[in-house]
Amino acid sequence: MFRDSQTALWEAVALTVGTAVSTNAYDLGADAVASATRRDPTIGQPIATVLSVGVAAVTSGGETYEFDAIQADDAALTVNKEILAKYAFTNAQSAAILVAGAIVVFPWPTGTITRRYIGMQAVLAVGTAAVTVTAWIAPQHMVQMSRAYATLIKVL
């Protein structure tokens, strides 16, 4: 699997209770906002955010984890921010899915990109919610080639 710095959203980032947008955003270019020339990477082939868990999610006291595919008009992912898709995990789901070494795939909805920048947002709640992740954008067909062990890949 090919992965470069332009598609990286988070690099071994320790997330804790609260809301955090990805450290990096993917820039579709200035003409991405013009409807006639909009470049939507989800049209033509499925795109996903791939999340690699470095340190397992804390699941000792009812913590919840949510990862959102987002788009915005600025690289900081704050101006006109829109949530494209939500992926929420209960405490029990987090304990089973967000384990160290796991790769979790978050598909992006097709044909919905209308802003220049795309990225991710994490919403961690309750108690001592914490997890360390690396995330990047990739065509879905490339994710299956990235691991030999299918049990570590979970498509939601």
Side-chain angles (χ1 to χ4, degrees):
M1 171 171 192
F2 294 102
R3 185 175 160 264
D4 64 35
S5 62
Q6 290 185 346
T7 62
L9 299 175
W10 277 310
E11 290 285 351
V13 171
L15 300 170
T16 57
V17 172
T19 301
V21 296
S22 52
T23 311
N24 301 312
Y26 188 76
D27 185 354
L28 295 172
D31 66 339
V33 295
S35 61
T37 58
R38 183 168 54 99
R39 288 184 269 166
D40 184 341
T42 65
I43 295 173
Q45 68 176 315
I47 299 291
T49 297
V50 182
L51 188 84
S52 173
V53 180
V55 177
V58 173
T59 56
S60 59
E63 294 82 1
T64 61
Y65 296 82
E66 177 183 308
F67 294 93
D68 305 327
I70 61 172
Q71 64 179 340
D73 287 336
D74 67 328
L77 298 169
T78 58
V79 176
N80 294 323
K81 179 173 70 173
E82 296 177 356
I83 295 175
L84 298 170
K86 290 184 179 211
Y87 300 94
F89 301 89
T90 64
N91 189 273
Q93 291 169 328
S94 300
I97 296 172
L98 299 177
V99 298
I103 290 187
V104 185
V105 180
F106 301 107
W108 291 65
T110 303
T112 57
I113 306 295
T114 59
R115 306 279 182 212
R116 179 174 175 170
Y117 298 92
I118 54 177
M120 287 293 283
Q121 170 178 275
V123 182
L124 281 59
V126 183
T128 58
V131 64
T132 300
V133 299
T134 295
W136 63 95
I137 299 168
Q140 276 186 257
H141 76 275
M142 291 187 72
V143 177
Q144 299 303 325
M145 293 185 285
S146 70
R147 287 280 191 186
Y149 305 101
T151 57
L152 292 179
I153 298 174
K154 296 175 178 39
V155 177
L156 302 176

